Amino acid sequence: TQSTWGKDLDYLMSTQEEESDTFISKILHPLGRWYQTILDKASPQHLYRWVLTAALFLIYSARVYFLEGFYVVSYALGIYLLNLFIGFLSPLEDPELSGSGSGSVLPTHNSDEYRPFARRLPEFFFWLRSTQALLWAIIATFFQVLDIPVFWPILLMYFCILTFFTMRRQVQHMFRYQYLPFSWGKKRYEKSNK
């Protein structure tokens, strides 16, 4: 009789899981489609996207300034944004890690065919993750438990030193492998009137 009870219990549990999966999917699936639609419409709007991010940054900065707290949240946000920025400036295939093989994505001669700079973190995802991080940081300022008392000048000094050394290493990497992390398109030559 115990095996029949086990089968009935398994059937009951699987039925409840299927009902909960369909209920959750009925709620989350339209929300996911709506979110993806918003992202698809925002993708070509470079200026408006970055204006939104700058506005969120100003809102966050104003909240931290007027609340006079949340310095650890600000420090974590700064480190995360610095990490995203380094990914934005870095090539998709790092020449240091791939060696000097012929599979490099960075052009080595002026006569090489034009290839746009392939980033490790594309601009859209840099914007998206930065905006999401700012939204989470703004939400964090509403929870007093995250306002950890700390001597903020030390955090600021440490962040500035970390930023300086990280950016110096990135610029040295750019000079060593002779690349610019920005592409302005292929060179176009004028017709000569000879």
Side-chain angles (χ1 to χ4, degrees):
T1 59
Q2 195 168 7
S3 62
T4 21
W5 282 103
K7 289 179 184 177
D8 291 340
L9 187 59
D10 289 339
Y11 173 74
L12 182 61
M13 294 297 286
S14 66
T15 306
Q16 287 177 348
E17 286 177 5
E18 289 174 7
E19 287 176 4
S20 66
D21 286 342
T22 58
F23 176 72
I24 291 173
S25 66
K26 285 181 182 178
I27 292 173
L28 293 181
H29 186 68
L31 287 176
R33 287 181 53 191
W34 173 77
Y35 180 69
Q36 189 60 48
T37 303
I38 297 294
L39 290 180
D40 291 343
K41 288 181 181 179
S43 182
Q45 308 296 331
H46 297 283
L47 178 65
Y48 297 123
R49 286 190 284 123
W50 285 105
V51 166
L52 171 70
T53 303
L56 288 174
F57 182 76
L58 290 175
I59 290 169
Y60 175 75
S61 300
R63 280 198 57 80
V64 168
Y65 178 76
F66 289 119
L67 292 175
E68 295 179 358
F70 297 98
Y71 301 119
V72 173
V73 174
S74 299
Y75 178 74
L77 175 67
I79 294 295
Y80 183 70
L81 292 178
L82 178 64
N83 186 27
L84 290 178
F85 187 61
I86 294 300
F88 177 72
L89 293 178
S90 299
L92 179 64
E93 188 177 306
D94 193 354
E96 275 183 356
L97 300 177
S98 65
S100 58
S102 60
S104 178
V105 295
L106 299 175
T108 56
H109 300 91
N110 285 339
S111 62
D112 284 351
E113 181 180 342
Y114 169 76
R115 288 175 286 180
F117 183 75
R119 302 176 188 286
R120 192 173 72 199
L121 181 66
E123 182 268 339
F124 180 78
F125 291 109
F126 176 49
W127 166 80
L128 180 63
R129 292 177 184 166
S130 300
T131 305
Q132 289 171 342
L134 282 165
L135 284 171
W136 282 112
I138 290 170
I139 290 169
T141 61
F142 289 100
F143 296 98
Q144 197 63 30
V145 71
L146 297 175
D147 187 12
I148 300 168
V150 67
F151 188 61
W152 65 267
I154 291 177
L155 278 181
L156 180 63
M157 182 181 68
Y158 183 66
F159 177 75
C160 290
I161 291 170
L162 186 67
T163 302
F164 172 76
F165 284 115
T166 305
M167 292 307 297
R168 185 179 77 171
R169 193 184 101 238
Q170 186 66 30
V171 169
Q172 286 174 346
H173 188 269
M174 286 192 269
F175 281 122
R176 183 179 311 126
Y177 293 103
Q178 301 173 355
Y179 68 91
L180 282 175
F182 306 104
S183 297
W184 286 282
K186 188 175 178 179
K187 288 185 180 178
R188 299 192 186 272
Y189 298 98
E190 306 265 338
K191 290 182 182 178
S192 61
N193 296 332
K194 289 187 180 181

mmCIF file with all atom_site columns, all heavy atoms in Angstrom, residues 8 59 80 82-83 91 108-109 124 131:
data_model
loop_
_atom_site.group_PDB
_atom_site.id
_atom_site.type_symbol
_atom_site.label_atom_id
_atom_site.label_alt_id
_atom_site.label_comp_id
_atom_site.label_asym_id
_atom_site.label_entity_id
_atom_site.label_seq_id
_atom_site.pdbx_PDB_ins_code
_atom_site.Cartn_x
_atom_site.Cartn_y
_atom_site.Cartn_z
_atom_site.occupancy
_atom_site.B_iso_or_equiv
_atom_site.pdbx_formal_charge
_atom_site.auth_seq_id
_atom_site.auth_comp_id
_atom_site.auth_asym_id
_atom_site.auth_atom_id
_atom_site.pdbx_PDB_model_num
ATOM 1  N N   . ASP A 1 8   ? 0.601  8.069  -5.831  1.00 0.00 ? 8   ASP A N   1
ATOM 2  C CA  . ASP A 1 8   ? -0.398 9.133  -5.761  1.00 0.00 ? 8   ASP A CA  1
ATOM 3  C C   . ASP A 1 8   ? 0.234  10.451 -5.350  1.00 0.00 ? 8   ASP A C   1
ATOM 4  O O   . ASP A 1 8   ? -0.103 11.511 -5.884  1.00 0.00 ? 8   ASP A O   1
ATOM 5  C CB  . ASP A 1 8   ? -1.509 8.751  -4.773  1.00 0.00 ? 8   ASP A CB  1
ATOM 6  C CG  . ASP A 1 8   ? -2.378 7.613  -5.276  1.00 0.00 ? 8   ASP A CG  1
ATOM 7  O OD1 . ASP A 1 8   ? -2.372 7.392  -6.505  1.00 0.00 ? 8   ASP A OD1 1
ATOM 8  O OD2 . ASP A 1 8   ? -3.052 6.962  -4.446  1.00 0.00 ? 8   ASP A OD2 1
ATOM 9  N N   . ILE A 1 59  ? 20.379 61.294 -10.227 1.00 0.00 ? 59  ILE A N   1
ATOM 10 C CA  . ILE A 1 59  ? 19.423 60.968 -9.164  1.00 0.00 ? 59  ILE A CA  1
ATOM 11 C C   . ILE A 1 59  ? 20.122 60.221 -8.042  1.00 0.00 ? 59  ILE A C   1
ATOM 12 O O   . ILE A 1 59  ? 19.946 60.530 -6.856  1.00 0.00 ? 59  ILE A O   1
ATOM 13 C CB  . ILE A 1 59  ? 18.240 60.146 -9.733  1.00 0.00 ? 59  ILE A CB  1
ATOM 14 C CG1 . ILE A 1 59  ? 17.374 61.019 -10.634 1.00 0.00 ? 59  ILE A CG1 1
ATOM 15 C CG2 . ILE A 1 59  ? 17.407 59.527 -8.620  1.00 0.00 ? 59  ILE A CG2 1
ATOM 16 C CD1 . ILE A 1 59  ? 16.351 60.244 -11.439 1.00 0.00 ? 59  ILE A CD1 1
ATOM 17 N N   . TYR A 1 80  ? 32.107 48.366 -10.009 1.00 0.00 ? 80  TYR A N   1
ATOM 18 C CA  . TYR A 1 80  ? 31.390 47.638 -11.059 1.00 0.00 ? 80  TYR A CA  1
ATOM 19 C C   . TYR A 1 80  ? 31.407 48.421 -12.376 1.00 0.00 ? 80  TYR A C   1
ATOM 20 O O   . TYR A 1 80  ? 31.660 47.854 -13.444 1.00 0.00 ? 80  TYR A O   1
ATOM 21 C CB  . TYR A 1 80  ? 29.957 47.355 -10.619 1.00 0.00 ? 80  TYR A CB  1
ATOM 22 C CG  . TYR A 1 80  ? 29.173 46.549 -11.618 1.00 0.00 ? 80  TYR A CG  1
ATOM 23 C CD1 . TYR A 1 80  ? 29.468 45.209 -11.840 1.00 0.00 ? 80  TYR A CD1 1
ATOM 24 C CD2 . TYR A 1 80  ? 28.153 47.119 -12.357 1.00 0.00 ? 80  TYR A CD2 1
ATOM 25 C CE1 . TYR A 1 80  ? 28.763 44.461 -12.764 1.00 0.00 ? 80  TYR A CE1 1
ATOM 26 C CE2 . TYR A 1 80  ? 27.439 46.381 -13.280 1.00 0.00 ? 80  TYR A CE2 1
ATOM 27 C CZ  . TYR A 1 80  ? 27.744 45.054 -13.479 1.00 0.00 ? 80  TYR A CZ  1
ATOM 28 O OH  . TYR A 1 80  ? 27.051 44.316 -14.406 1.00 0.00 ? 80  TYR A OH  1
ATOM 29 N N   . LEU A 1 82  ? 33.613 50.650 -13.277 1.00 0.00 ? 82  LEU A N   1
ATOM 30 C CA  . LEU A 1 82  ? 34.993 50.621 -13.776 1.00 0.00 ? 82  LEU A CA  1
ATOM 31 C C   . LEU A 1 82  ? 35.272 49.302 -14.495 1.00 0.00 ? 82  LEU A C   1
ATOM 32 O O   . LEU A 1 82  ? 35.885 49.296 -15.572 1.00 0.00 ? 82  LEU A O   1
ATOM 33 C CB  . LEU A 1 82  ? 35.978 50.823 -12.625 1.00 0.00 ? 82  LEU A CB  1
ATOM 34 C CG  . LEU A 1 82  ? 37.468 50.769 -12.988 1.00 0.00 ? 82  LEU A CG  1
ATOM 35 C CD1 . LEU A 1 82  ? 37.829 51.910 -13.928 1.00 0.00 ? 82  LEU A CD1 1
ATOM 36 C CD2 . LEU A 1 82  ? 38.308 50.826 -11.723 1.00 0.00 ? 82  LEU A CD2 1
ATOM 37 N N   . ASN A 1 83  ? 34.811 48.205 -13.925 1.00 0.00 ? 83  ASN A N   1
ATOM 38 C CA  . ASN A 1 83  ? 34.984 46.902 -14.551 1.00 0.00 ? 83  ASN A CA  1
ATOM 39 C C   . ASN A 1 83  ? 34.266 46.844 -15.905 1.00 0.00 ? 83  ASN A C   1
ATOM 40 O O   . ASN A 1 83  ? 34.807 46.325 -16.889 1.00 0.00 ? 83  ASN A O   1
ATOM 41 C CB  . ASN A 1 83  ? 34.453 45.807 -13.614 1.00 0.00 ? 83  ASN A CB  1
ATOM 42 C CG  . ASN A 1 83  ? 34.724 44.428 -14.139 1.00 0.00 ? 83  ASN A CG  1
ATOM 43 O OD1 . ASN A 1 83  ? 35.667 44.215 -14.882 1.00 0.00 ? 83  ASN A OD1 1
ATOM 44 N ND2 . ASN A 1 83  ? 33.883 43.488 -13.757 1.00 0.00 ? 83  ASN A ND2 1
ATOM 45 N N   . PRO A 1 91  ? 39.720 44.634 -26.319 1.00 0.00 ? 91  PRO A N   1
ATOM 46 C CA  . PRO A 1 91  ? 39.349 43.898 -27.533 1.00 0.00 ? 91  PRO A CA  1
ATOM 47 C C   . PRO A 1 91  ? 38.727 42.548 -27.184 1.00 0.00 ? 91  PRO A C   1
ATOM 48 O O   . PRO A 1 91  ? 38.974 41.990 -26.114 1.00 0.00 ? 91  PRO A O   1
ATOM 49 C CB  . PRO A 1 91  ? 40.674 43.723 -28.272 1.00 0.00 ? 91  PRO A CB  1
ATOM 50 C CG  . PRO A 1 91  ? 41.719 43.842 -27.232 1.00 0.00 ? 91  PRO A CG  1
ATOM 51 C CD  . PRO A 1 91  ? 41.172 44.744 -26.167 1.00 0.00 ? 91  PRO A CD  1
ATOM 52 N N   . THR A 1 108 ? 47.504 44.448 -37.906 1.00 0.00 ? 108 THR A N   1
ATOM 53 C CA  . THR A 1 108 ? 48.911 44.654 -37.568 1.00 0.00 ? 108 THR A CA  1
ATOM 54 C C   . THR A 1 108 ? 49.635 45.549 -38.564 1.00 0.00 ? 108 THR A C   1
ATOM 55 O O   . THR A 1 108 ? 50.694 46.060 -38.266 1.00 0.00 ? 108 THR A O   1
ATOM 56 C CB  . THR A 1 108 ? 49.640 43.300 -37.479 1.00 0.00 ? 108 THR A CB  1
ATOM 57 O OG1 . THR A 1 108 ? 49.462 42.598 -38.714 1.00 0.00 ? 108 THR A OG1 1
ATOM 58 C CG2 . THR A 1 108 ? 49.091 42.463 -36.325 1.00 0.00 ? 108 THR A CG2 1
ATOM 59 N N   . HIS A 1 109 ? 49.100 45.751 -39.738 1.00 0.00 ? 109 HIS A N   1
ATOM 60 C CA  . HIS A 1 109 ? 49.712 46.612 -40.748 1.00 0.00 ? 109 HIS A CA  1
ATOM 61 C C   . HIS A 1 109 ? 48.657 47.551 -41.313 1.00 0.00 ? 109 HIS A C   1
ATOM 62 O O   . HIS A 1 109 ? 47.469 47.273 -41.263 1.00 0.00 ? 109 HIS A O   1
ATOM 63 C CB  . HIS A 1 109 ? 50.285 45.777 -41.902 1.00 0.00 ? 109 HIS A CB  1
ATOM 64 C CG  . HIS A 1 109 ? 51.334 44.818 -41.450 1.00 0.00 ? 109 HIS A CG  1
ATOM 65 N ND1 . HIS A 1 109 ? 51.047 43.526 -41.067 1.00 0.00 ? 109 HIS A ND1 1
ATOM 66 C CD2 . HIS A 1 109 ? 52.681 44.969 -41.304 1.00 0.00 ? 109 HIS A CD2 1
ATOM 67 C CE1 . HIS A 1 109 ? 52.167 42.914 -40.721 1.00 0.00 ? 109 HIS A CE1 1
ATOM 68 N NE2 . HIS A 1 109 ? 53.171 43.768 -40.851 1.00 0.00 ? 109 HIS A NE2 1
ATOM 69 N N   . PHE A 1 124 ? 26.036 48.446 -26.302 1.00 0.00 ? 124 PHE A N   1
ATOM 70 C CA  . PHE A 1 124 ? 24.670 48.280 -25.813 1.00 0.00 ? 124 PHE A CA  1
ATOM 71 C C   . PHE A 1 124 ? 24.660 47.573 -24.457 1.00 0.00 ? 124 PHE A C   1
ATOM 72 O O   . PHE A 1 124 ? 23.941 47.979 -23.539 1.00 0.00 ? 124 PHE A O   1
ATOM 73 C CB  . PHE A 1 124 ? 23.823 47.501 -26.822 1.00 0.00 ? 124 PHE A CB  1
ATOM 74 C CG  . PHE A 1 124 ? 22.408 47.298 -26.364 1.00 0.00 ? 124 PHE A CG  1
ATOM 75 C CD1 . PHE A 1 124 ? 21.495 48.333 -26.461 1.00 0.00 ? 124 PHE A CD1 1
ATOM 76 C CD2 . PHE A 1 124 ? 21.998 46.086 -25.826 1.00 0.00 ? 124 PHE A CD2 1
ATOM 77 C CE1 . PHE A 1 124 ? 20.196 48.169 -26.021 1.00 0.00 ? 124 PHE A CE1 1
ATOM 78 C CE2 . PHE A 1 124 ? 20.701 45.914 -25.396 1.00 0.00 ? 124 PHE A CE2 1
ATOM 79 C CZ  . PHE A 1 124 ? 19.791 46.947 -25.492 1.00 0.00 ? 124 PHE A CZ  1
ATOM 80 N N   . THR A 1 131 ? 23.094 50.888 -16.577 1.00 0.00 ? 131 THR A N   1
ATOM 81 C CA  . THR A 1 131 ? 21.780 51.388 -16.182 1.00 0.00 ? 131 THR A CA  1
ATOM 82 C C   . THR A 1 131 ? 21.156 50.485 -15.129 1.00 0.00 ? 131 THR A C   1
ATOM 83 O O   . THR A 1 131 ? 20.581 50.977 -14.144 1.00 0.00 ? 131 THR A O   1
ATOM 84 C CB  . THR A 1 131 ? 20.863 51.497 -17.420 1.00 0.00 ? 131 THR A CB  1
ATOM 85 O OG1 . THR A 1 131 ? 21.515 52.313 -18.400 1.00 0.00 ? 131 THR A OG1 1
ATOM 86 C CG2 . THR A 1 131 ? 19.534 52.114 -17.075 1.00 0.00 ? 131 THR A CG2 1
#
